[in-house]
Amino acid sequence: MSSPYRLHDSLGYQLSLAARIQQRRLEDGLRKLGLPRTFWAILLAVGNEELRQPSEIANYVGIDRTAVSRALRNMEVAGLIARQDGNGDGRTRTVAVTETGYELLAQATPIARSNAAVMAERLSPEERQDLKDLLKKLMTGEDLPPTHL
């Protein structure tokens, strides 16, 4: 008889748990600003990466276009982004961060940097690079948008 499967010994479980810890810490920090994590990721995509099309934003953030469209509507109502017709016929929309959105992005950036530093500081620079390389290797060949590799 083979040995039993031990969930807590599983690499997938360990990766998932580490990601959830990091994500929860980020969400707790962003919550103090009233900023959902999805809005934060979209602000990064539009404000820092200068992505303007909802499909580009969806690929960058790693969520489906419907979820991005819903978030963009809510962000527009909140005054964080502005959407405009891209080619005059209403089929293409472009997205831009508003002044309010940029202010929130500036407030949230130190929270995200601090969150990233918590785990990073537990590893040497060489270990951090090794971990990034190993994670990239694990994701190679998977069905992810190119922006995620």
Side-chain angles (χ1 to χ4, degrees), residues 80-136:
L80 303 177
I81 58 109
R83 295 188 295 173
Q84 302 171 343
D85 290 340
N87 60 9
D89 67 5
R91 289 183 293 167
T92 303
R93 306 276 290 191
T94 60
V95 180
V97 177
T98 64
E99 186 176 324
T100 301
Y102 275 116
E103 288 171 8
L104 198 54
L105 186 60
Q107 291 173 25
T109 297
I111 293 168
R113 283 192 175 124
S114 175
N115 179 54
V118 171
M119 283 192 175
E121 289 171 353
R122 296 175 186 168
L123 303 172
S124 70
E126 295 80 18
E127 289 172 325
R128 284 193 298 271
Q129 188 58 54
D130 288 346
L131 181 57
K132 287 178 185 179
D133 292 343
L134 291 168
L135 290 170
K136 192 172 189 175

Side-chain angles (χ1 to χ4, degrees), residues 20-58:
R20 282 197 310 265
I21 290 168
Q22 187 84 346
Q23 180 178 321
R24 189 173 342 149
R25 189 182 310 109
L26 176 62
E27 288 171 344
D28 288 347
L30 295 176
R31 189 175 302 114
K32 295 172 186 167
L33 300 175
L35 185 63
R37 185 174 48 91
T38 301
F39 286 20
W40 161 247
I42 291 171
L43 285 174
L44 289 173
V46 180
N48 289 0
E49 303 299 325
E50 300 180 1
L51 302 177
R52 301 287 176 244
Q53 301 296 323
S55 58
E56 295 173 326
I57 296 165

